[in-house]
Structure formats: structure tokens, C-alpha cells
Amino acid sequence: MSETVNNSLEKIAKGSTIILIGTMVSLLLGFIGRLILIRFTTQYDFGIYCLALTLVSILTTISTMGLGEGSTRYIAYLKGKSKNKLIPNAIISSIVITLSSSALIFIIAFFFSDFIATNIFHSSELSNIINIFLITIPFTAFSGIIISIFRSFDQFTIKVYFNDIMKPIIHIIFLGIVVFFARSLSGMASAYLMSIIIPSIIISIYFLKKHKLFGVEDFQFIDKSMIKELLTFSIPLLAVSIILTLMSWTDTLMLGYFKTAKDVGIYNSAVPLANLLTIIIGSLSFVYVPVMSQLYGKNQIRELGRSYVVSTKWCFIGTLPLFFILFVFPDFILNLFFGPRYISASIVLQILSLEFIINSYFGLNYYTLMTVGKSKFLMNCSLVGAVMNILLNIILIPIWGVAGAAIASTLSFVFIEILMSIKLYTILKIHPFTTTYLKLTILSIILISIFSTINDHTVASFWTFLVISFTFMLTFVLSLLFAHILDDEDVIITSLIKKKLGFNFFR
């Protein structure tokens, strides 16, 4: 293995570990916040909350103009090309675009919020919650672009401190205050608002103190040509972000249209649990994009391809144990977190878990295509998937309700994964499906089938859950060793795990 691949994998492994820890902390704190919301609101109010947050999330994505990923990739690519003199202009231009677009989106959306609430979703209560959430748009967009700038310089801990830890802690604190004094839905929404504003102000102050780190001296300088270049590169990524966000929330919106707010609440109790399966790929991608962008800038395609293959394998390995828990024990998990009212979402949790494990199985194809500049293809690919998702929702929701929405989402995203993998192989001749990866695939299917059958023939209890889960994890790890699933190049990842655990488990 070349020294370049070795260094790249080591950087990805170390950086991803930091992000993974931060993500896990964020998810834990986020679950506490969502648990408070669910426990102290009705299913109807929780559905209203989710609808409003969905709409504002889509608008926030639009306001970033694709620069969340675009600026990271572009700045890292400039570093790889040794064009450091252009980096300060790229930073300033990214900030100017983000602030301008987010302010414009906020004004337009605020003007139409009443119309959206009453004429589309037929809920006057929704209007007030939307207006509260709309205030978060410029703050979320600005803090996001600052984190992206730090990310392009391998400053990954900034996201952990400000976004993964500070934000959910503030949310929980203000939720607690609302629950103690007045359990109103507007109060819950205001708690979320404060969790966005306070970290945004703090990270802005921090950035102003650290701006010389990036070679930025004059914040008044605006390079019009750089703005044009950034927009040309990022607008296709904006389209992808909008489409993927719409796809992520299409199920919620269409359930709200075809069914009831109660159905929306039931569906969204399963969504955050299934989203846990994205923590590994999310952690890897946060570090993967700037590292691979620099390799591409240096035209080191072979090294890029090998890093992709190894990263994808570990993405799947890291995700599989959690998939097993969610897929085999959906009733237990939903009851544990949200109570017996939400056990009806079990089938949704199983279907969405399949969606996300398949996403992990195909790995980092999306981020690799973005790294090599195929943003237009990603846009077209996502558009096809979005249309497919809408059509499937129209067909399946009236028939199967929340389960139909989950099936529509899963089929659409799997279709996109297949298209991206085909494109990646076509242009770079790389794919993750090595002999060892196929052995891992067969092994995983066999083990899950066996332990799922065992669970079906046992009495459901907390101890049954613990014993079966632990036995599966142990069997899976031992199988990786004795079936020779791990290649020589996996030593970087396993060495990092060994250091974290404190013993040579993988020798």
C-alpha cells in the first residue's frame, strides 16, 4: 500500500473517530430532546412540530446554495492544487453568498407562512410554529458555512463542540424550562430556536478570532469572479441537497396530506431511530471529502480509489451491528424510547433500517462522485429518485399508510445508490465489491437470518434482547477474524481500534 493511501486512511480513521464520538453524543442528547417532545406533547402536536421543522429544514437547505459541501470540496481542492492565494477569496465569497441567500429566503418564507399552513396543510396552529422556526434559517446557514470552512482545513473538532454538543445541550435546557413552566407547543418551538441562535453567535465570535488561520485579513474584500465560480460549482450541489432533503421529508409531507398528523407523528418516531444507522457514514464522509478532494487535486486517482474501497468496507462493518438491533428488535426499541403508543411504527423502523444499511453497503459513492466534480450527474440522479419517491408515495400511502411511505423511500434511495455506483465504476473503474467484501456480505446475511430466527422462537424480554444482541456481536467479530474478511490495508483502522480499546484484539 502506498504511503499516500496510508496517510489518507490514517487521517480518515482519526478524524472520523472524533466525528463519530461527537455524533454519538449529539444523537444521545438529541434523543433526550425528542423524548421530552414526545412525552410532553400529543401525537397531533408532535406531528405539527415535525411538519413545521420539515418545511424550514427544506428552506434552510435552499438558503445554503449548496455551499455546505461545495465550499469544503472547493477549498480542499485548491489546497491540493497548491492555489493557496485563492483560498481567502473562496472563504469570503462563501460567507457573502450564504448570508445573502439565507436572509432572502427568510423574508420570502415569512411572508407566505400563513398561506402554506392554512391552504396546504389546513392547520392554523402550524403557522405560528413555522414562523418561530423560520428565524433559525440565517443562523443555521451561517454557522453551517463556518463549520464547512473549518472542515476544509481539517479542523473537525469545531463541529463537535458547537454543533454536536453545545446545540443539543442548550435545546434540552430550554425544553426543560418550557416543560416546567408551560407545556405549550410554541414554547417547545422557541426552545429549538434558542438552541440555534446561541451556538451560532458563539461560533461567529470564535471564527472572527481565528480568521487569520485561513490567511484572511480583510473581511471587506469581495471577489465577484470567485463568487461566480463558487456558484457555478455549487448550484448543482444545491439542487442535489434540495432534492435529497425533499426525498427525506417527502414521506412526512405526503403522509400529512393523505393521512393525518397522528400518522406523521407515528412515522417520525421511527425515523430518528433508523437515522442512527447513518452515524458511521456521516462521520466518515465529514473527513473523507476534504481528504479525497486533495488527492483528486493532486491527480492521485489510484490512491483515491483504494481509500474509497477500504472506507466503504468499514462503513458497512461499523453499521451492521446497530442494524441488527433495530431490524430484529423494533418493538422493544420503540417501546423503550417512546412507549407502547408507538409500537405500531415497528414495520416502518424495519423498512427504513433496510434502506440505511443498503446505503452503508454501497458506501461513499456519493461523496466520491462529488469529489471528482460530477455534481451535475448527482443532480440528475437525485431528481430521478425524487420523482420515483413521489410516485411511489402516491401509490403506496393510500394502500399501506406509514408502511407504504417507508417502502417508497427505501426503493427510491436504493435506486439512486445503484445508479451512483454504476457511474463511479464507469468513470474511475472502482467499486467496493472485492472478494472479501462479498464474503462479508454472505456472512452478514447468514448471521442475521440465524439470530433473527432464534429471536422469533424466544420469549421477548430485556434479558433476551441483551443475550441475543451480545452473542450476535461476538459471533460477528470472531467471524471477521476466522473468515479472513480483513485485508492487509485494514490494519490502519484496526490499529486505531486497538489503541482506543487498549489491547491487541485484531491480531
Side-chain angles (χ1 to χ4, degrees):
M1 179 170 57
S2 70
E3 187 67 23
T4 300
V5 175
N6 183 80
N7 293 336
S8 297
L9 289 176
E10 185 173 358
K11 185 180 292 186
I12 291 172
K14 290 181 179 180
S16 298
T17 302
I18 296 171
I19 298 301
L20 177 60
I21 294 172
T23 301
M24 293 177 68
V25 171
S26 177
L27 286 171
L28 176 61
L29 296 174
F31 261 115
I32 294 174
R34 183 171 286 254
L35 186 61
I36 294 172
L37 280 169
I38 292 176
R39 293 286 188 179
F40 292 98
T41 60
T42 65
Q43 287 179 323
Y44 178 82
D45 282 347
F46 182 58
I48 292 293
Y49 185 97
C50 291
L51 280 174
L53 188 57
T54 297
L55 292 169
V56 173
S57 296
I58 294 171
L59 293 174
T60 302
T61 299
I62 295 173
S63 72
T64 62
M65 300 297 288
L67 291 171
E69 293 288 353
S71 61
T72 297
R73 187 269 180 189
Y74 191 76
I75 294 171
Y77 179 76
L78 289 176
K79 289 173 63 181
K81 286 290 187 181
S82 299
K83 296 181 178 180
N84 295 333
K85 291 182 178 180
L86 296 177
I87 292 177
N89 294 358
I91 292 173
I92 300 301
S93 298
S94 298
I95 294 174
V96 170
I97 295 169
T98 300
L99 288 177
S100 301
S101 61
S102 61
L104 180 62
I105 292 294
F106 166 74
I107 294 171
I108 295 173
F110 191 84
F111 181 78
F112 285 102
S113 61
D114 287 342
F115 175 84
I116 294 172
T118 57
N119 291 276
I120 298 179
F121 295 101
H122 316 293
S123 174
S124 57
E125 299 98 325
L126 182 61
S127 178
N128 182 48
I129 306 304
I130 291 177
N131 287 334
I132 294 174
F133 284 154
L134 284 176
I135 303 173
T136 67
I137 290 178
F139 292 96
T140 302
F142 180 70
S143 60
I145 200 64
I146 297 302
I147 290 174
S148 295
I149 292 169
F150 279 107
R151 175 188 177 193
S152 64
F153 284 86
D154 300 332
Q155 300 290 316
F156 305 122
T157 56
I158 304 303
K159 173 185 178 294
V160 175
Y161 294 145
F162 291 100
N163 199 64
D164 296 339
I165 298 178
M166 183 183 298
K167 175 184 171 182
I169 286 179
I170 293 174
H171 188 212
I172 292 172
I173 291 173
F174 278 94
L175 276 178
I177 294 173
V178 171
V179 169
F180 184 80
F181 287 102
R183 299 177 186 178
S184 65
L185 186 58
S186 59
M188 300 285 190
S190 298
Y192 177 79
L193 173 63
M194 297 308 298
S195 72
I196 298 296
I197 291 178
I198 295 175
S200 297
I201 293 174
I202 296 175
I203 197 174
S204 299
I205 296 172
Y206 183 80
F207 175 76
L208 290 172
K209 290 183 177 181
K210 296 291 183 179
H211 69 276
K212 290 184 179 180
L213 174 67
F214 312 119
V216 181
E217 299 291 343
D218 186 359
F219 278 90
Q220 302 301 316
F221 178 72
I222 298 177
D223 188 335
K224 293 182 180 179
S225 62
M226 180 62 71
I227 290 178
K228 181 180 179 180
E229 190 170 354
L230 266 172
L231 286 176
T232 301
F233 175 79
S234 297
I235 281 178
L237 292 179
L238 167 63
V240 173
S241 297
I242 293 171
I243 294 168
L244 292 179
T245 301
L246 285 171
M247 285 188 67
S248 299
W249 293 104
T250 292
D251 308 331
T252 295
L253 296 174
M254 297 191 75
L255 275 171
Y257 180 80
F258 283 111
K259 296 295 182 177
T260 65
K262 181 179 179 180
D263 291 308
V264 173
I266 291 173
Y267 187 85
N268 277 278
S269 66
V271 170
L273 289 168
N275 276 330
L276 289 172
L277 296 174
T278 66
I279 63 174
I280 300 296
I281 193 170
S283 301
L284 281 169
S285 65
F286 194 85
V287 183
Y288 182 87
V289 170
V291 173
M292 294 302 103
S293 295
Q294 291 184 55
L295 288 181
Y296 185 65
K298 297 174 183 178
N299 200 34
Q300 296 176 321
I301 305 301
R302 181 179 177 277
E303 290 80 1
L304 185 154
R306 191 57 202 161
S307 298
Y308 161 72
V309 171
V310 176
S311 298
T312 293
K313 180 196 293 185
W314 278 95
C315 180
F316 181 67
I317 290 174
T319 305
L320 190 69
L322 182 56
F323 165 76
F324 172 80
I325 291 174
L326 297 180
F327 186 79
V328 176
F329 303 99
D331 291 0
F332 175 81
I333 297 298
L334 285 164
N335 183 56
L336 176 66
F337 284 102
F338 305 127
R341 293 184 301 164
Y342 288 90
I343 290 180
S344 58
S346 294
I347 185 64
V348 175
L349 180 56
Q350 287 182 309
I351 296 170
L352 293 180
S353 295
L354 282 171
E355 173 187 324
F356 288 119
I357 192 61
I358 292 172
N359 177 45
S360 294
Y361 182 74
F362 283 100
L364 297 151
N365 47 16
Y366 169 84
Y367 298 99
T368 307
L369 286 169
M370 182 181 70
T371 294
V372 300
K374 298 301 178 181
S375 55
K376 290 184 179 179
F377 169 79
L378 293 175
M379 178 181 66
N380 295 332
C381 186
S382 300
L383 182 59
V384 172
V387 172
M388 180 179 177
N389 193 26
I390 293 171
L391 293 175
L392 287 173
N393 271 300
I394 291 173
I395 296 170
L396 299 179
I397 288 178
I399 301 174
W400 291 319
V402 292
I407 293 172
S409 176
T410 299
L411 291 177
S412 302
F413 275 100
V414 169
F415 181 69
I416 290 176
E417 293 292 343
I418 293 172
L419 288 180
M420 290 191 298
S421 295
I422 292 174
K423 181 66 173 181
L424 191 58
Y425 181 76
T426 301
I427 61 174
L428 295 181
K429 303 300 179 184
I430 61 175
H431 64 81
F433 307 113
T434 61
T435 301
T436 55
Y437 199 49
L438 294 177
K439 287 169 61 178
L440 173 62
T441 304
I442 296 171
L443 172 67
S444 302
I445 293 173
I446 292 173
L447 288 179
I448 290 176
S449 299
I450 292 173
F451 281 91
S452 181
T453 302
I454 293 173
N455 179 61
D456 291 339
H457 291 83
T458 57
V459 178
S461 69
F462 177 74
W463 294 109
T464 300
F465 165 75
L466 285 182
V467 171
I468 293 179
S469 297
F470 176 78
T471 306
F472 172 81
M473 306 299 178
L474 181 61
T475 305
F476 179 62
V477 172
L478 292 176
S479 298
L480 290 178
L481 303 178
F482 291 108
H484 303 290
I485 299 297
L486 304 181
D487 296 320
D488 292 338
E489 291 176 329
D490 295 315
V491 69
I492 294 177
I493 311 293
T494 57
S495 296
L496 180 63
I497 295 174
K498 179 190 69 176
K499 291 178 182 178
K500 295 298 181 182
L501 295 178
F503 56 89
N504 198 353
F505 191 87
F506 289 92
R507 171 168 288 183

